[in-house]
Amino acid sequence: MTITRIVRAACPHDCPDTCAMLVTVADGRVVKIAGDPDHPPTAGVLCTKVARYAERTYHPERLHYPQKRVGKKGQGKFVRIDWDEAIEIIGERLSKIAAQDPARILPYSYAGTMGYVQGESMAMRFFHRLGTSRLERTICISAGTAGMKHTYGGGLGLDMDYADEARLILIWGGNPITSSLHFWMRAQEAKRRGAKLVAIDPYRSLTAEKCQQHIALRPGTDSALALGLMHVLIREDLLDHDYIERHTLGFGELSERAREFTPERVARICGIEAQEVTDLALAFGTAAVRENQPVSIKLSPGLQRTHGGGNAMRAIACLPSLVGAWRHRGGGLLQSSSGFFPVNTNALQRPELMPGWPILPRSINMSTIGDALTHKGDATFGPAIEALVVYNSNPVAVAPESAKVVSGFAREDLFTVVVEHFQTDTADYADILLPATTQLEHVDIHKSYGHAYIVANNPAIAPLGEAKPNSEIFRLLARRMGFVESCFSDSDDELAAQAFDFSSERAKHLDWESLKENGWGKLKLAEMPLADGGFTTPSGRCEFYSETLARQGHDPLPAYIPPHESVDSNPGLASRYPLAMISPPARHFLNSSFVNIESLRALVGEPALEIHPVDAAARDILEGQWVRVFNDRGSITLPARITGNTRRGMVVIPSIWWKKFSKDGKNANELTGQAITDLGNGPTFYDCLVEVELENQ
Ligand SMILES: Nc1nc2c(c(=O)[nH]1)N[C@H]1C(S)=C(S)[C@@H](COP(=O)(O)OP(=O)(O)OC[C@H]3O[C@@H](n4cnc5c(=O)[nH]c(N)nc54)[C@H](O)[C@@H]3O)O[C@H]1N2
Ligand SMILES: Nc1nc2c(c(=O)[nH]1)N[C@H]1C(S)=C(S)[C@@H](COP(=O)(O)OP(=O)(O)OC[C@H]3O[C@@H](n4cnc5c(=O)[nH]c(N)nc54)[C@H](O)[C@@H]3O)O[C@H]1N2
Ligand SMILES: [Mo]
């Protein structure tokens, strides 16, 4: 007789939706994964990728055993070893390096799983105790996070449960059909109730296609558009004076700044019509101020990946406060809800374990890992990096200026440990490759950056092969290093119970035991969290003018900062490389995860370059022909897809491909650069000029 049970789980991926899942297990094997119909954000729906999570977990190429390298670095040749030997080799090597200087060791991780147990808890305790270099975790949203911090005080926004109440939604710099499907479901509901959806995106994405209006501006010009909208709102007095007076700081200075951004000037910068600027401002201001309707902005990471990303976030974040949009529960801005969660970061990570605490070891920016790994060491940088421990990330595929990243990883003198589900592009460079469990095999607990629910993950099946949870791997390493502090014995359940402050006002009705049982629970938040102020800035107000930024030598007001690479900022470069390249996520991949899942790869197709018909014709390129895309950093070859979905002067490579699935073993990051953003030291993936020509010219 088959024994079937349903296990409550959480989607672990780097996506704002953090779905609650119901996993059906029959005789110890997962047979179905579905969205929980009762969890309001999930509403019973999973994306195509995660619905196939079982296919990923049971994939024949899953890593089942520890292995050590036998071939040359990067060749990907390994032999099986047992766990004792693997831990011994790593322990011995790390001890030796740490005895000279632990800062020569660097952990590298990101959001392969967003869970607190398998993410930054036991692992961080281990690295803190060892005294390694720290990792500056910038690769995704650090520009936006900095922009929001200096404007609102943190990741605060409207509650997604009410997003369908808005009458006008600006979907700004994101493609939620791909990257936040459950927000899109809310936006569709709003549309059914009569709302207007406007996409602001240089690319005619799936989302832009389905909005009633699409403003296709040049990449990296968003803050100019936002300042233009302010110009019109102020000129037409479409403002909530009472909200501005009571809850904001620096309106006078902001008005002067916005005065410089006439619709005509903005149109020239953004490559759009002046009328589009005026009409959008009138629609936004009239709905909010004259008609007292909820208006909102879905603000996505896509627009932060150019030089001025931090200021763009700041400029856009001013708009809802100017019109008092926070007075409605469906109004305001939805960028990240992270700041609402009472996360116990110190309890999880134990920074006081660092040997020199409170003096911190150096920090290495993950977005410039290519430069860091190829650095020989000096007084400013500190010692060269000699060991790298990678988990929850695939830097050889996802980090910018890949040729540099690869030359770092290829160093024969670098000792590299990779903890993974699969033999990714990064795993190919490992000295020791360790098999990690997937979300179906381990315990975890999650917040969300899109909604306000804590979601629990119960293991559905036993670990496959000899795979172990990240937490257990770092426990074993801690034991090998002789770390005796009791925190290294905490079980996964104990870690999960420590993740949130369950005595705080927002979470005191929740606890780990009941979350495991029920699957999820919502924080207690005010329906309109910013209706009466409540900004967590130094002034407690929405800071149009930031004294903190002024002190740090930045412009205290939101500014337009052009891309590093554009005709305006670098005409010489633009004459050689006239096309702006962006490489946003392909719909059925999750960053570089799922690229090796055959059924999903079949849906995405082959790696390709999308190019506008006029740009293709100018280069005699026909549909499907192989082209070379190049700049000073490198070149890749791809088939061309000719489409009006991209602007003239802009090419698009849907990403992030594993390099090993491409004809030339490269992906879009061969072309991206390591220059960083204005605020937050973030990457500038979409700030990248290239030229395209027929292959073999
Ligand atoms: N299916 C899927 N979902 C994902 C991911 C994934 O890889 N796949 N990744 C997850 C992660 S890590 C993140 S950070 C988020 C990303 O979330 P989003 O930012 O929503 O990412 P995209 O869906 O790629 O949307 C990016 C959009 O920004 C546009 N864009 C590019 N440059 C600019 C610009 O300068 N200005 C403006 N206005 N628009 C610009 C692109 O054309 C693209 O349509 O999604 C998460 N969800
Ligand atoms: N060109 C270009 N590059 C980009 C972007 C872009 O839009 N364009 N987007 C950038 C952004 S926004 C981000 S966030 C980064 C994302 O970069 P990463 O965070 O590196 O994301 P992934 O590529 O999905 O790699 C995550 C890896 O973690 C592994 N993993 C998952 N769960 C576990 C686990 O429990 N244990 C262990 N040990 N491993 C696990 C997965 O198998 C996967 O290989 O990429 C950035 N790079
Ligand atoms: Mo991201």
Side-chain angles (χ1 to χ4, degrees), residues 662-676:
S662 299
K663 187 172 118 172
D664 61 358
K666 295 174 182 171
N667 71 11
N669 282 322
E670 206 67 23
L671 302 164
T672 56
Q674 295 182 77
I676 55 177

Side-chain angles (χ1 to χ4, degrees), residues 51 252 685:
F685 290 110

Side-chain angles (χ1 to χ4, degrees), residues 17 28 44 63 150 167 218 405 437 479-480 494 512 576 680:
D17 298 6
L63 300 174
H150 294 301
R167 301 288 299 179
R218 282 196 190 103
V405 179
T437 46
R479 196 167 311 147
R480 166 61 183 75
E494 284 165 331
W512 171 236
R576 285 187 293 140

Side-chain angles (χ1 to χ4, degrees), residues 2 19 26 54 62 73 156 214 270 284 330 388 510 610 649 697:
T2 309
C19 289
R62 256 299 287 286
K73 285 261 178 164
L156 311 176
H214 175 203
C270 299
F284 190 77
L388 193 63
L510 303 171
E610 298 188 13
Q697 262 189 354

Side-chain angles (χ1 to χ4, degrees), residues 14 49 140 173 175 178-179 200-202 220 222 302 585 587 589 591:
D14 188 352
K49 311 175 286 299
C140 182
N175 176 15
T178 285
S179 59
I200 303 175
D201 190 319
D222 299 272
R587 182 175 182 191
F589 299 155
N591 298 321

